[in-house]
Every structure is written in structure tokens, then in C-alpha cells.
């Protein structure tokens, strides 16, 4: 990402060079938030499977909240004397990540990939918080507020991926495709060990055999009696 132009003015208490540094931080955060909002809608449109409606409806409030975060970041850039870039071309040109890579897929598989998306944006937001804290506590506070929401949304996502023992199905996955495959219900089902049939103890087998033989004899007698009566 090319550095922002040094503003002609900035907020009181900061020099214009400091203002430019904070604008640089916020510009990439703005791109990340805009990209996340689009990714959430992409997933919203492309989830399928038995968990469709739950995930489909869970993502809309997240999308709205992320759009509000982007708006707050853009307005802070303006307050600092900068020029927020909200066009798709600027986002694609300046971002440091690739497009979301999963198309139509099972809802839980999408959540596996989305978990990695949230991890990336949260880690980058935390790094920006640390840098902003050395220059501008107001921007630091803004980004911390974003983190509260983003980490809560990731918790919602991870609740669908977590086992009762606390293990995430996506643990160790380092790409969206790998995370989606790890979270896929088909893979989970394939990994289950079929229950073994428990053999009856030897005495029980003998007892069962005797009972079956007795039943067969009784049934034969009844059948014979029935046939004779019919004649």
C-alpha cells in the first residue's frame, strides 16, 4: 500500500506527520473491513445444507455491524485530514490478501473458512491497535471497539466448529480451502469409527440357540396341528 499523502491539517494534539501515519493504519483497516463485509454477503448467498437458515441469518447482523465499523474508520480518516478510499479499485490495489476462495458450499464448511478470515483481520487489527496506541489514543480506542465486535463474531462462528471437548475442527488449517474441508460434515462423518458389534458371551449364545430350537419345535407342532385340523 502506498503511503497516504501528508494532510494539510489534522486533529489538535497531533502533528501532520503523525496524522499521516494514523491515516495509513486506518486505510488498510478500512479496506479489510469493506472486504470482510463483502465476504460475509458472499457466504450469506452461497451457503447450502441442513444448517443453511441458521448461518444465512446469523451473517446479516455481522455484515451490518462490519459496515458500521468501516464507516467509523472512514470518518476517522476524514477527521485526521485524510481522504478515505472506498472504491473497489483502491481496495484491490492496496490490500495485502487475496479474494475469499470458497464458492457454493455447505454452511459449516463456509464457517470453517470464515474462521480463518476472522483470525486474519483480528490479528491485523491488534497490530494496528499497538501502533496507533503510540501515536493516537482516540484511534486506538476506535480499533479496540472494533475488536470487541469482531472477536464476538468469531466466537459465534467457532461455536459451530467446536467439539464438546473444546477442540476446533479447523485446528491446524492454514488456508480457507483446508479449513473448509476440515469443517465439512462429510469429512466429519467419514472420520467416525463404526460401532463394533458386541458378540454375545458363549453361554448366552448356547442359551439363545436352545431357545430358538424350542421355539422352532413349538412352531412345527402348531403348524402340524393346524394342517391336520384343516384336513
Amino acid at each position: 500500500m502506498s503511503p497516504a499523502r501528508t494532510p494539510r491539517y489534522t486533529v489538535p494534539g497531533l502533528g501532520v506527520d503523525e496524522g499521516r501515519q494514523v491515516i495509513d493504519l486506518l486505510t488498510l483497516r478500512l479496506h479489510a473491513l469493506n472486504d470482510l463485509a463483502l465476504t460475509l454477503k458472499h457466504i450469506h448467498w452461497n451457503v447450502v445444507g441442513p444448517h443453511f437458515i441458521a448461518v444465512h441469518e446469523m451473517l446479516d447482523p455481522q455484515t451490518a455491524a462490519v459496515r458500521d465499523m468501516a464507516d467509523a474508520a472512514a470518518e476517522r480518516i476524514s477527521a485526521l485530514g485524510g481522504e478515505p478510499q472506498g472504491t473497489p479499485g483502491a481496495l484491490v490495489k492496496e490490500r495485502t490478501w487475496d479474494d475469499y476462495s470458497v464458492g457454493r458450499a455447505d454452511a459449516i464448511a463456509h464457517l470453517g473458512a470464515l474462521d480463518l478470515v476472522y483470525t486474519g483481520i483480528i490479528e491485523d487489527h491488534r497490530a494496528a491497535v499497538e501502533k496507533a496506541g503510540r501515536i493516537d489514543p482516540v484511534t486506538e480506542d476506535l480499533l479496540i471497539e472494533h475488536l470487541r465486535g469482531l472477536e464476538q463474531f468469531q466466537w459465534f462462528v467457532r461455536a459451530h466448529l467446536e467439539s464438546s471437548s473444546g477442540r476446533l475442527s479447523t485446528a491446524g488449517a492454514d488456508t480457507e480451502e483446508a479449513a473448509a474441508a476440515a469443517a465439512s460434515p462429510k469429512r466429519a462423518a467419514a472420520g467416525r469409527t463404526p460401532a463394533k458389534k458386541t458378540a454375545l458371551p458363549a453361554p448366552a449364545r448356547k442359551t439363545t440357540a436352545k431357545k430358538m430350537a424350542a421355539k422352532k419345535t413349538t412352531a412345527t407342532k402348531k403348524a402340524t396341528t393346524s394342517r391336520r385340523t384343516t384336513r
Side-chain angles (χ1 to χ4, degrees), residues 54-207:
V55 173
H56 182 78
E57 292 186 349
M58 180 183 76
L59 295 180
D60 262 346
Q62 294 189 20
T63 304
V66 169
R67 284 174 174 165
D68 286 343
M69 293 176 194
D71 187 53
E75 289 179 352
R76 184 62 184 163
I77 291 171
S78 291
L80 288 160
E83 184 180 345
Q85 298 295 315
T87 61
L91 190 164
V92 172
K93 180 181 178 182
E94 298 181 1
R95 69 184 178 182
T96 58
W97 57 90
D98 295 325
D99 269 344
Y100 182 74
S101 55
V102 181
R104 177 163 294 191
D106 181 89
I108 303 302
H110 265 300
L111 292 183
L114 181 57
D115 179 38
L116 259 65
V117 174
Y118 269 123
T119 293
I121 194 169
I122 287 169
E123 287 176 347
D124 289 347
H125 247 64
R126 282 185 169 272
V129 164
E130 185 178 353
K131 293 176 183 177
R134 297 194 290 264
I135 307 169
D136 178 25
V138 176
T139 296
E140 177 190 34
D141 183 65
L142 173 69
L143 294 175
I144 288 172
E145 187 61 30
H146 288 177
L147 280 169
R148 287 192 185 96
L150 293 169
E151 290 178 0
Q152 183 186 54
F153 296 156
Q154 187 178 38
W155 169 48
F156 292 167
V157 168
R158 285 182 163 182
H160 293 78
L161 308 172
E162 185 179 0
S163 69
S164 58
S165 64
R167 183 183 181 278
L168 290 174
S169 61
T170 53
D174 56 2
T175 67
E176 291 162 3
E177 293 92 338
S184 172
K186 290 182 180 179
R187 175 165 176 171
R192 294 193 191 105
T193 304
K196 293 182 179 179
K197 292 182 179 179
T198 305
L200 290 171
R205 283 201 302 272
K206 289 178 181 177
T207 302

